[in-house]
Amino acid sequence: MESLHQLETIILLLIAVLALAAIARKLVIPYPILLVIGGLVLGLIPGVPTLRLDPDVVFLVFLPPILWSAAYFTSWRDFRSNLRPITLLAVGLVLATTAAVAMVAHIWLPGLGWAGAIALGAIVSPPDAVSATAVAKRLGLPRRAVTILEGESLVNDATALILYRAAVMAAISGTYTFSDTVLDFFMAAAVGVVVGLLVGLVARWALKLMEDSFSEIAITLLAPYIAWVLADQAHSSGVLACVAGGLYLRQHFSEAVAPATRIQARAVWDFLVFVLNAVIFILIGLQLGALREALPSEMFVPLMLSGALVSVTAIVVRMIWVPLAAWIPRLFSPSLRARDPMPAWSLLFIIGWTGMRGIVSLAAALALPLTTAVGAPFPFRAEIILITFSVIFATLVLQGLSLPPLIRVFNLREEGTLEREEMQAREHAATAALVRLDEVANEGWPIPEHLDQMRVHYGGRVQRYAKDGTVPECTPDATEAFRRLRHETLTAERLAVIGLRNEGTISDDVLHRLEHELDVEALRLGIGERRVSSRGDNPR
């Protein structure tokens, strides 16, 4: 009966998730915000069962696919070109926020030692990958701002969790060595990246061996979990393992699988990430009921005030750090000033204001041990968890709700770079298809009418207006010849666009758009199971 009751609770939770997500779309606000509020309201209703998050489940079940997916859809070109600001935020800002929060908590909470204060600072210092991806992209921020925010949120968890681990060990054992922490940081980061790349390499090899879409999709679903588990076994960063693996596999996925697999995998992954994100955010809200049960009622309000103070500290540090991190490097580098002028203050303000915390912070707080090495209760454990919840609520809900009007006031929007790259890629792909038509024209198997039809089709694309090609009424042999011809041209287009992405001419976002169109066209013509040709050349 208990298992049946748990199943009913899960079903009701999913119904609540779908309803709140639908309401969020109607209200035109990012769904994570409404889900947190909805979970908070549900947690306060008498009789609603208390659902406690198991941090091990969060780290193992939820984070690997979410991080892998976020990295997969991150443009490596854009990530690499913004590596300096991403590193300053993902490493420098995490260290600065941890230090500032630790000092405030140590002063404000008498009895909280430095180890516990640093642990709290590390817990609340990293903006969350889930929050950044789910919120920033839906607000129409400029492309560079989204890239920086997503890149920061992918890497900063590794910095924060290594600091967190060192602080917790110090609180448990009573000893702390700075040099060991620095060495652990670089070792965990390096080994995590290597593990992720190896898993991505093996996944790429396995995908080429498979012959059906279901097996190929299963490989993509297993890869992030394998990367996380292997990294954990190697005592390295599972976060960076998933990020490195997702980035690597994206660079080779287009050539490793057939169009049908890409379309089906995109649908499966979109659904999986949405469900995981939605469940996470509503569970965050539901944790308030469990937290209230763990603390005396007279401590609840003072701790919420402490949470507000820590939230203000984290927000203020970020608001100060972002413009300084943009200004100081340009102050000492004339070449950087010439190559990359100082961003507009409104853009810096939005990047500084967009620092939502999420599931990583709450899972880290819940993962605090119950006792120290001598058997004493872990100092201020319940207090740290409630303060963490307050920071998540303040940064995600309050900052998240204020972002849309701020973006409208500052008139921030995408600069149109993706659209220009897309037009360039379309023209290049159509030209490549015309070249391929000329190459196969003398091979004997194409039907002249089909060649003419394809030349008109792609010639129209080159001239900036589309003309949709269709398969004429003909014999089965002629139909197969047309499909083969269409497969050759679609392959030429795909290889041309992949070549532009590999050269850094276009973003992965543009590749995703065009590749999806090519895949849909291939499925429409019944050639979606055919892989990209490996002719050894890349049409130009």
Side-chain angles (χ1 to χ4, degrees):
M1 289 298 293
E2 182 178 354
S3 59
L4 182 60
H5 180 68
Q6 292 176 346
L7 178 61
E8 292 173 349
T9 302
I10 293 173
I11 293 174
L12 291 175
L13 186 63
L14 291 175
I15 293 174
V17 163
L18 294 176
L20 290 170
I23 295 172
R25 284 193 295 270
K26 292 290 185 181
L27 298 178
V28 197
I29 63 174
Y31 73 84
I33 298 173
L34 194 60
L35 287 171
V36 170
I37 297 175
L40 177 63
V41 173
L42 289 174
L44 297 176
I45 297 176
V48 174
T50 300
L51 297 176
R52 290 179 172 84
L53 276 176
D54 185 339
D56 292 333
V57 171
V58 172
F59 282 127
L60 180 60
V61 175
F62 287 89
L63 285 187
I66 291 174
L67 290 169
W68 188 282
S69 175
Y72 179 89
F73 288 106
T74 295
S75 170
W76 172 242
R77 181 203 67 173
D78 295 342
F79 184 91
R80 188 175 63 247
S81 63
N82 290 283
L83 190 59
R84 175 185 48 80
I86 288 173
T87 303
L88 288 172
L89 293 174
V91 179
L93 180 56
V94 167
L95 294 174
T97 304
T98 299
V101 169
M103 286 188 290
V104 170
H106 186 69
I107 295 171
W108 185 259
L109 297 174
L112 179 63
W114 279 111
I118 293 173
L120 173 60
I123 288 170
V124 303
S125 61
D128 192 56
V130 178
S131 304
T133 302
V135 174
K137 275 190 172 181
R138 288 167 171 78
L139 297 178
L141 289 175
R143 178 63 196 168
R144 188 179 186 189
V146 174
T147 299
I148 291 173
L149 291 169
E150 288 186 339
E152 173 201 5
S153 65
L154 287 174
V155 179
N156 60 11
D157 290 339
T159 307
L161 290 177
I162 291 171
L163 287 174
Y164 163 84
R165 189 180 306 152
V168 170
M169 290 302 297
I172 293 175
S173 64
T175 60
Y176 173 76
T177 305
F178 177 76
S179 59
D180 290 344
T181 301
V182 175
L183 180 62
D184 288 345
F185 174 80
F186 287 106
M187 285 296 297
V191 174
V193 170
V194 171
V195 169
L197 292 177
L198 289 176
V199 171
L201 183 65
V202 173
R204 175 190 176 190
W205 171 77
L207 287 171
K208 290 186 175 181
L209 294 180
M210 295 295 106
E211 295 296 337
D212 65 283
S213 296
F214 293 112
S215 299
E216 291 166 344
I217 294 172
I219 290 172
T220 67
L221 294 173
L222 286 174
Y225 292 106
I226 294 173
W228 185 277
V229 171
L230 291 179
D232 184 64
Q233 292 296 315
H235 303 289
S236 60
S237 173
V239 172
L240 291 182
C242 289
V243 170
L247 285 171
Y248 175 84
L249 193 60
R250 169 62 261 187
Q251 301 304 305
H252 304 282
F253 193 69
S254 300
E255 299 172 342
V257 300
T261 299
R262 282 190 292 273
I263 292 179
Q264 294 172 27
R266 179 66 181 267
V268 170
W269 272 93
D270 284 348
F271 173 76
L272 175 65
V273 172
F274 167 76
V275 171
L276 292 177
N277 283 348
V279 171
I280 280 175
F281 284 111
I282 200 168
L283 285 176
I284 288 176
L286 284 169
Q287 293 313 293
L288 184 61
L291 294 176
R292 293 185 67 178
E293 294 177 2
L295 288 169
S297 57
E298 64 273 10
M299 293 181 59
F300 192 79
V301 174
L303 284 176
M304 293 299 289
L305 293 176
S306 300
L309 179 62
V310 171
S311 301
V312 170
T313 302
I315 292 171
V316 169
V317 170
R318 184 179 180 87
M319 296 298 295
I320 295 174
W321 182 274
V322 169
L324 287 178
W327 175 66
I328 291 177
R330 291 172 174 83
L331 178 65
F332 294 101
S333 175
S335 61
L336 178 59
R337 289 199 303 270
R339 183 177 68 254
D340 186 12
M342 187 74 175
W345 71 267
S346 56
L347 184 62
L348 294 176
F349 180 88
I350 289 297
I351 293 176
W353 191 247
T354 310
M356 288 80 70
R357 275 63 175 176
I359 191 59
V360 171
S361 294
L362 187 58
L366 293 171
L368 288 170
L370 297 175
T371 60
T372 65
V374 297
F378 190 92
F380 287 79
R381 183 181 186 275
E383 291 84 346
I384 291 175
I385 295 174
L386 185 58
I387 291 173
T388 301
F389 178 86
S390 302
V391 176
I392 294 172
F393 187 85
T395 56
L396 180 60
V397 177
L398 299 182
Q399 286 185 294
L401 286 177
S402 65
L403 275 173
L406 284 174
I407 291 172
R408 287 194 295 269
V409 169
F410 293 145
N411 196 28
L412 292 173
R413 57 183 180 274
E414 168 59 36
E415 306 89 342
T417 54
L418 291 181
E419 285 72 17
R420 290 191 294 271
E421 291 179 3
E422 182 175 337
M423 292 300 297
Q424 178 185 2
R426 289 181 185 278
E427 182 179 9
H428 184 80
T431 302
L434 287 172
V435 171
R436 185 58 182 162
L437 286 173
D438 292 337
E439 292 174 355
V440 302
N442 298 322
E443 294 183 5
W445 57 267
I447 296 176
E449 290 80 2
H450 294 168
L451 288 169
D452 294 339
Q453 185 181 18
M454 290 294 97
R455 288 193 177 103
V456 171
H457 175 71
Y458 286 108
R461 286 192 176 185
V462 172
Q463 298 172 13
R464 294 295 196 277
Y465 54 85
K467 182 173 291 186
D468 196 17
T470 55
V471 181
E473 292 286 337
C474 52
T475 64
D477 289 341
T479 299
E480 179 56 30
F482 178 84
R483 288 177 176 172
R484 182 179 174 186
L485 179 64
R486 196 72 178 98
H487 173 65
E488 293 291 335
T489 57
L490 289 174
T491 297
E493 287 189 77
R494 183 175 292 107
L495 290 175
V497 176
I498 293 171
L500 290 178
R501 190 281 309 277
N502 292 342
E503 296 167 2
T505 304
I506 64 173
S507 167
D508 281 80
D509 290 345
V510 174
L511 173 63
H512 294 160
R513 295 183 191 179
L514 301 186
E515 190 176 65
H516 180 74
E517 293 179 8
L518 294 173
D519 292 343
V520 170
E521 177 68 3
L523 286 180
R524 188 179 70 84
L525 294 173
I527 55 177
E529 298 295 334
R530 302 182 185 180
R531 296 175 185 266
V532 173
S533 301
S534 54
R535 303 192 308 270
D537 62 331
N538 191 3
R540 295 286 300 171

